[in-house]
Amino acid sequence: MAAFIKHSSPQVSDMPSSTKIDIIQTRPIPWKDYPLVEERQDSELLKKYTPIDLKIINQFFPPDYAATGQLIEELAHHLRPFGRVEVFTSQPSYAFERDDSPRTENHESLRIRRSQAARFWPQRIRGKAVAGVIFFIRTALHLLRHSKQQGIVVLTTAPPFLPLLGYLLSRICNIRYVCLLYDLYPDIAIELDVIKKHHWLVKVWNRLNCLTWQHAEAIIVLSENMKERIVAKQPGIEDKITIIPSWVDPEQIVPRPKHENWFAREHDLVEPFTVLYSGNMGRCHDMDTLFDAVTLLRDTPIRFVFIGSGEKRKQFQQSVTEMGLTNCLFLPYQSRENLPYSLTACDVSIVSVSAGMEGLVAPSKLYSALASGRPIVSICPANSYLNGVFAEANCGTTVRNGESQELAAYLHRLSQNPRMASELGRSGREFCRKNYTSEKIARDYLTLFQSIESVDCQQRAKRA
């Protein structure tokens, strides 16, 4: 089994020539049958397997704090023992002050290439759009320059229009690509009233989306809701769509008593019942329902901690000040080394999705919250896939958008019943270990990429 990600990537040689093997005669096999790490290099066993050759494109990558970048990093490190993996990204720009990470990093068969970041009004939509367009152009030039060297190109939705590049370049240089959809555009922009539903740009974008999906080798989505949305737009591509959720390493995020947690002690969170919201407070997240619950619980000893940033944080913090609320603590994004402590410095975690966003986004914070061994409350629409996850995991409860009184009542109930909270946290963590570990999800990715490589090998063998 591949070892968990090593966060420092020393400059070492590229993929050893002994692992660059002829894959025409190979076949996909289950993950458990792969040779051990020490058996892979210079091993005849490798000739029995289908190595993968990936180029993953994502605008964000560590040391940036963006969740998609951290997930891509973990996935790349899990997949690198089974072929050659390259990540093309930009310099940190999401929520990180420095932008001087190495332009190129090599770690055995993993290579990371970073283009220059574009910083124009980084906290505004127009600035993010400009940065996304520049990264799109730089990615296009990179892929054209190396068009004869790529295997499968994996295009994420960071920036949102990046998958369109797969279709455009497939017409020019016949690249094979997979769409990894973390969210669905232009639908999100329409829901947020950034652009009108009948705008010409929406029509063009939707048309290009359909062409992109039709010509993709595969489409990866995070939830059943998202798959339904895509099929409604483009019927007949059901077989191309694979649902692979996000994940967490439950050996890195482990339950930790607050009195033994330096983060809880440092911020005076050991004694009070603490509600944690950790992550992006963006336009896709329902912060209004949570704010109303904070107000309802202002005279209780319950404390609310908000870690992260986003479009809605400033307004939320300003409203807390204007209302004279003293039960809230606001902290910046935490480094990855601090996450095992910040995520367990609470008694319950909050996950939220705005009304209308079901099938458009999937909160990655859910998985680390499950691993923390704390109960979770999700604020989400009635038809969100989160309702099914919570029912199966028995990890807490879901409340509808706007049901602030129900949210406040449940939080108060948890604060009075530590045994119930402990049992819900234990159940959620157990469910996480069975379904959302990085090893299990990486297996699903590997199986998909191997199947694509295997089909390509068979086609090349027939032509030979």
Side-chain angles (χ1 to χ4, degrees):
M1 188 69 67
F4 181 66
I5 170 178
K6 296 180 180 177
H7 299 299
S8 61
S9 300
Q11 297 290 331
V12 294
S13 62
D14 239 336
M15 182 180 180
S17 59
S18 58
T19 64
K20 298 175 183 176
I21 60 178
D22 182 9
I23 61 176
I24 297 296
Q25 302 300 323
T26 59
R27 59 185 176 78
I29 65 162
W31 177 290
K32 64 182 178 64
D33 293 333
Y34 273 93
L36 298 175
V37 174
E38 59 269 19
E39 297 174 334
R40 289 182 191 135
Q41 192 166 339
D42 300 320
S43 172
E44 288 296 317
L45 275 171
L46 275 175
K47 295 183 180 179
K48 299 179 181 178
Y49 313 128
T50 303
I52 56 175
D53 189 1
L54 296 180
K55 185 186 291 286
I56 306 174
I57 315 291
N58 194 68
Q59 186 177 0
F60 309 113
F61 197 79
D64 222 334
Y65 293 134
T68 58
Q70 296 184 24
L71 291 169
I72 291 298
E73 182 188 32
E74 294 173 8
L75 177 63
H77 276 271
H78 273 294
L79 294 179
R80 66 176 176 79
F82 307 106
R84 183 172 55 186
V85 181
E86 179 176 308
V87 176
F88 185 78
T89 184
S90 70
Q91 288 286 343
S93 61
Y94 179 82
F96 198 76
E97 294 180 357
R98 298 176 58 186
D99 60 354
D100 57 351
S101 294
R103 292 291 300 271
T104 302
E105 293 182 64
N106 292 313
H107 190 77
E108 296 179 356
S109 57
L110 170 63
R111 170 173 288 176
I112 301 161
R113 294 177 184 265
R114 293 183 176 91
S115 69
Q116 290 297 318
R119 292 177 178 270
F120 302 96
W121 318 288
Q123 300 305 317
R124 299 183 182 181
I125 292 177
R126 72 179 72 175
K128 294 177 180 178
V130 170
V133 169
I134 292 174
F135 181 73
F136 182 96
I137 294 170
R138 286 174 172 161
T139 301
L141 294 174
H142 173 78
L143 291 176
L144 286 170
R145 191 179 304 120
H146 301 280
S147 61
K148 295 181 179 180
Q149 301 172 18
Q150 13 251 16
I152 303 168
V153 177
V154 181
L155 296 158
T156 72
T157 46
F161 39 82
L162 185 60
L164 306 182
L165 187 58
Y167 169 69
L168 297 176
L169 292 187
S170 71
R171 304 295 89 190
I172 298 172
C173 54
N174 201 32
I175 70 167
R176 296 176 301 147
Y177 65 95
V178 171
C179 299
L180 172 49
L181 308 182
Y182 287 118
D183 34 41
L184 197 57
Y185 280 85
D187 304 57
I188 290 178
I190 295 169
E191 286 291 336
L192 296 177
D193 203 29
V194 174
I195 192 170
K196 299 301 180 183
K197 182 177 181 180
H198 299 293
H199 194 281
W200 66 266
L201 182 59
V202 171
K203 295 179 181 179
V204 172
W205 198 337
N206 277 326
R207 176 56 181 159
L208 287 174
N209 273 345
C210 290
L211 289 171
T212 299
W213 299 335
Q214 288 173 0
H215 290 84
E217 299 288 331
I219 304 164
I220 302 169
V221 298
L222 305 184
S223 70
E224 184 66 39
N225 287 152
M226 193 176 290
K227 178 178 179 178
E228 292 169 357
R229 288 256 192 171
I230 292 174
V231 172
K233 286 174 173 286
Q234 182 57 52
I237 61 171
E238 295 90 336
D239 292 343
K240 283 191 175 186
I241 303 176
T242 301
I243 301 172
I244 306 181
S246 296
W247 63 87
V248 68
D249 177 14
E251 305 309 318
Q252 183 190 38
I253 309 294
V254 298
R256 183 175 277 102
K258 289 204 295 181
H259 68 272
E260 298 177 5
N261 186 331
W262 67 264
F263 192 92
R265 293 197 303 269
E266 181 175 304
H267 296 287
D268 297 323
L269 304 176
V270 175
E271 294 300 328
F273 184 87
T274 303
V275 182
L276 174 67
Y277 184 99
S278 179
N280 185 28
M281 301 173 219
R283 303 180 72 184
C284 298
H285 304 100
D286 182 353
M287 303 303 292
D288 294 336
T289 302
L290 181 53
F291 178 79
D292 290 341
V294 170
T295 304
L296 290 169
L297 294 169
R298 64 188 304 172
D299 296 324
T300 71
I302 297 175
R303 189 160 176 75
F304 292 83
V305 178
F306 299 89
I307 300 177
S309 64
E311 295 277 343
K312 293 185 177 180
R313 170 169 166 155
K314 183 178 180 180
Q315 180 59 50
F316 195 104
Q317 198 166 354
Q318 183 177 335
S319 298
V320 166
T321 302
E322 291 173 352
M323 293 286 291
L325 301 176
T326 59
N327 55 346
C328 295
L329 172 66
F330 294 89
L331 298 171
Y333 277 112
Q334 298 299 302
S335 66
R336 180 172 290 189
E337 291 74 20
N338 288 353
L339 286 179
Y341 304 95
S342 65
L343 292 172
T344 54
C346 67
D347 298 282
V348 58
S349 288
I350 300 290
V351 172
S352 76
V353 176
S354 294
M357 291 295 164
E358 62 277 11
L360 302 182
V361 296
S364 59
K365 61 175 67 71
L366 167 65
Y367 308 99
S368 56
L370 286 169
S372 73
R374 303 297 196 261
I376 312 170
V377 181
S378 174
I379 307 167
C380 62
N383 59 342
S384 169
Y385 78 99
L386 292 171
N387 296 291
V389 172
F390 274 62
E392 191 174 355
N394 187 33
C395 60
T397 193
T398 60
V399 297
R400 303 289 75 82
N401 303 102
E403 293 184 347
S404 53
Q405 291 187 344
E406 288 80 356
L407 174 59
Y410 187 80
L411 293 175
H412 186 265
R413 179 185 172 198
L414 276 181
S415 72
Q416 301 300 306
N417 195 334
R419 179 176 293 182
M420 179 179 79
S422 177
E423 177 57 29
L424 290 172
R426 184 204 61 77
S427 177
R429 178 171 170 81
E430 183 178 326
F431 185 78
C432 175
R433 290 177 64 87
K434 290 180 180 178
N435 297 278
Y436 301 128
T437 65
S438 50
E439 288 85 358
K440 179 185 182 303
I441 302 304
R443 259 198 311 270
D444 295 338
Y445 274 96
L446 179 64
T447 299
L448 174 63
F449 294 142
Q450 281 188 312
S451 67
I452 296 171
E453 292 281 18
S454 181
V455 169
D456 183 63
C457 291
Q458 293 171 11
Q459 293 173 347
R460 283 193 286 159
K462 289 179 180 178
R463 293 194 299 266

